[in-house]
Amino acid sequence: MITIYDWFGYELPIKERYQLIKEVGFDGVLLWWSEDFNRNDYRNGPQIAREAGLFIENIHAPVKNQHSLWLDNLDGEALTDCYLQCVADCAEFEIPTMVVHLPKEDNPYNALGLDRIKRITEKAEQLDVNVALENLRNLTNLAYVLEQVDSLRIGFCYDCGHHYRYYPGVDLLSMYGSRVMALHLHDNNGSRAQHGLPFDGTIDWSTT
């Protein structure tokens, strides 16, 4: 089964976009799950995708204020509530997995943040939803959470473009391959996360 993120660079009505994705041979889509990036109709996405004959592999939780997860303030609580709602939405819309960004390296983990992750884990276990933590410039935080939270519902979203951009010398798949719950394959030129088509950048796909 081959899926694709549902935005591919052209402003089209969502129904037409999903029909085109199906027509060119994809089996499913990954959905952005917030009103950011002009996604005012995001909650209608699952039904429209399924009407087009597409499987929904996962949703991507909002990334705005992602560093607040560790902070002892209202923004931190609001973000935690947002992620808890995303878990509930996955259950409601019968979507198996959600992808989450942990804070980056300059926002180090703490006990409060781990407690919030455990709250999210508890809800994910109750509702049978997978929470996949994506690699960005966040390896210390990612490693900490994956080591501290032993749950079949907490795993890894492997992003090869981010891997190549931020930690090309670290074998992330050897470290966390057994916990992969989501996969992002895209290319870049090594200078920034461009999210280009595979083979259009400088990633060596023969060794990735």
Side-chain angles (χ1 to χ4, degrees):
M1 182 172 291
I2 301 176
T3 60
I4 188 172
Y5 178 51
D6 70 348
W7 166 255
F8 48 82
Y10 297 91
E11 290 287 355
L12 294 170
I14 190 170
K15 185 173 182 179
E16 182 180 351
R17 187 183 311 156
Y18 289 169
Q19 289 172 340
L20 289 172
I21 288 172
K22 181 64 176 180
E23 287 173 9
V24 299
F26 287 99
D27 303 297
V29 286
L30 291 63
L31 305 184
W32 186 262
W33 205 251
S34 81
E35 294 183 350
D36 296 333
F37 309 115
N38 298 317
R39 294 300 186 95
N40 297 326
D41 57 352
Y42 75 95
R43 294 184 71 86
N44 295 321
Q47 179 178 346
I48 298 171
R50 288 171 177 140
E51 288 173 350
L54 294 167
F55 166 74
I56 302 168
E57 183 172 345
N58 59 55
I59 62 170
H60 200 305
V63 299
K64 186 179 292 185
N65 300 323
Q66 64 190 31
H67 305 313
S68 297
L69 191 61
W70 303 156
L71 300 182
D72 187 7
N73 58 23
L74 292 177
D75 286 343
E77 282 302 306
L79 184 63
T80 305
D81 289 342
C82 172
Y83 290 162
L84 289 168
Q85 184 61 52
C86 285
V87 174
D89 288 344
C90 280
E92 177 183 349
F93 290 98
E94 300 182 334
I95 300 169
T97 303
M98 61 180 275
V99 173
V100 173
H101 286 186
L102 291 176
K104 294 182 181 179
E105 298 286 29
D106 47 357
N107 297 269
Y109 60 81
N110 56 34
L112 174 61
L114 181 61
D115 180 67
R116 287 170 172 162
I117 292 290
K118 289 180 177 178
R119 287 166 55 194
I120 294 166
T121 302
E122 182 178 359
K123 186 153 191 172
E125 290 174 341
Q126 291 172 349
L127 298 179
D128 295 329
V129 172
N130 296 324
V131 179
L133 308 175
E134 184 175 350
N135 59 291
L136 293 102
R137 188 172 55 82
N138 63 359
L139 182 55
T140 302
N141 291 328
L142 176 67
Y144 177 77
V145 172
L146 290 178
E147 288 165 5
Q148 293 294 318
V149 182
D150 183 16
S151 170
L152 294 177
R153 292 300 177 186
I154 299 296
F156 181 37
C157 170
Y158 175 67
D159 186 300
C160 71
H162 295 161
H163 184 186
Y164 177 64
R165 172 68 180 90
Y166 299 116
Y167 302 101
V170 180
D171 191 348
L172 293 176
L173 285 175
S174 289
M175 296 166 64
Y176 305 119
S178 64
R179 298 184 71 174
V180 168
M181 294 176 168
L183 184 64
H184 293 171
L185 298 178
H186 54 96
D187 218 329
N188 62 55
N189 63 11
S191 65
R192 61 189 180 91
Q194 295 165 305
H195 295 85
L197 291 173
F199 308 106
D200 278 359
T202 55
I203 291 179
D204 183 358
W205 290 91
S206 65
T207 60
T208 298

